[in-house]
Amino acid sequence: MPILCSSKCGKKAILKRPKTGDALCKECFFWAFETEIHFTIVQAKLFQEGDYVAIGASGGKDSTVLAYIMKTLNDRYDYKLKLVLLSIDEGITGYRDDSLETVKRNRDQYGIPLKILSYEDLYGWTMDKIVAQVGLKNNCTFCGVFRRQALDRGAMQLGVTKIVTGHNADDIAETIIMNILRGDIARLQRCTAITTASEDMISRCKPFKYTYEKEIVMYAYFKKLDYFSTECIYSPNAYRGYARAYIKDVEKIRATAIIDIIHSGEQMTVGDKAKARCPEQGNCKECGYISSQEVCKACVLLAGLNKGLPQLGVGKSSKHKKTLEELQGKMVKRQEVNTPLSYPVKSEVVEQ
């Protein structure tokens, strides 16, 4: 006997929501998914009328659904936002070049302009070249640091007021576990915040903070969205993968584990001693971009690569402090590269 939709619409249920356990038809699932994200945006006051918002776009499921949702909700609820896609090309042959083609199709499908910045232009290095130097053990450290700064630099070039990223509930729960395992309790409050900002920093928002990854995949599948599904070829040994596997094991025993971990991170009180270990945001004296240190991590890693010392800045910075001090005066500031916006070839409004 077919199971009917839990919302009592009379239609046959085609899926069971991982988040709530409700059996829903396709239309009711779309409504629940979109309405919950709208509620998160409104409750957290993520945007103000007239905001210029950059959507971090990689072509993967999270960023593709985010772009679609931001356009859909902006039109439906009249947020009055100006949207732009911002993509970072890390220079990973066979992975990022293919995913950027997906982003370009999203640009045309959703009618949202696109800006692409590359590691090659910003740093003079691609991830392919970096991996050739450092191997597969610590390459995610370089990519994560460079990518975060590249998003900030792209956002500054565009003049946006907000950046939105596709970090979902699973991602945030993994980050909490990673910080706990590293003993980095001071960063717990920052990583659980739905918005991160400081006086001189463009706000970063996470509309998917309470959205399960499984539901994002289901939404993309049933909406027939165009996204790139291949995993990064350089990330099989990433530390995050072990945190992800642990959470999946816990989920088998306790279905609400992901949200429980997030709420635990939100409620955890950080003492003054731990807060002192998490320095205030400032500006790097070398490149001028946002940093919590005198010299930002990106400049330290870049100096190491350029001087043939790729492990400089990996792990505890104190281990390389003397070497860094010797290099600081020799660091060369790269000229800023400002790539143009690419506009949709034609506006193909996807079915909503």
Side-chain angles (χ1 to χ4, degrees), residues 30-31 34-35 71-79 352:
F30 292 157
W31 179 86
E34 292 162 5
T35 303
K71 176 174 173 55
T72 300
L73 298 184
N74 191 37
D75 293 343
R76 181 183 301 165
Y77 297 105
D78 197 22
Y79 292 163
Q352 296 184 11

Side-chain angles (χ1 to χ4, degrees), residues 240-253:
R240 181 173 292 273
Y242 298 102
R244 182 180 299 123
Y246 168 73
I247 291 172
K248 296 304 178 191
D249 286 342
V250 175
E251 261 194 302
K252 295 173 186 175
I253 304 166

Side-chain angles (χ1 to χ4, degrees), residues 270-321:
V270 180
D272 292 337
K273 187 175 180 180
K275 285 180 181 177
R277 293 170 55 194
C278 197
E280 295 290 324
Q281 294 283 356
N283 295 97
C284 172
K285 72 174 189 178
E286 294 292 335
C287 67
Y289 287 99
I290 298 157
S291 174
S292 57
Q293 304 292 336
E294 189 177 7
V295 178
C296 73
K297 192 81 167 177
C299 282
V300 174
L301 293 174
L302 192 58
L305 288 170
N306 290 335
K307 297 297 180 180
L309 300 168
Q311 294 306 313
L312 180 67
V314 176
K316 297 293 183 181
S317 59
S318 59
K319 289 169 58 179
H320 311 284
K321 189 173 181 181

Side-chain angles (χ1 to χ4, degrees), residues 209-280:
K209 178 181 176 181
Y210 300 111
T211 306
Y212 278 32
E213 183 178 46
K214 292 175 185 174
E215 298 201 351
I216 292 172
V217 173
M218 292 164 69
Y219 186 86
Y221 173 77
F222 286 113
K223 278 285 186 181
K224 295 182 171 60
L225 299 184
D226 184 3
Y227 69 93
F228 185 76
S229 57
T230 304
E231 290 291 324
C232 177
I233 59 176
Y234 294 142
S235 67
N237 299 316
Y239 184 39
R240 181 173 292 273
Y242 298 102
R244 182 180 299 123
Y246 168 73
I247 291 172
K248 296 304 178 191
D249 286 342
V250 175
E251 261 194 302
K252 295 173 186 175
I253 304 166
R254 186 178 179 86
T256 59
I258 289 173
I259 290 295
D260 291 343
I261 291 170
I262 293 174
H263 288 326
S264 296
E266 289 172 336
Q267 298 301 318
M268 194 170 290
T269 302
V270 180
D272 292 337
K273 187 175 180 180
K275 285 180 181 177
R277 293 170 55 194
C278 197
E280 295 290 324

Side-chain angles (χ1 to χ4, degrees), residues 61-62 165-174 206 208-214 216 258 262:
K61 62 184 184 316
D62 297 320
T165 60
H167 291 96
N168 57 50
D170 298 55
D171 296 327
I172 294 169
E174 290 161 13
K206 305 169 190 169
F208 288 172
K209 178 181 176 181
Y210 300 111
T211 306
Y212 278 32
E213 183 178 46
K214 292 175 185 174
I216 292 172
I258 289 173
I262 293 174

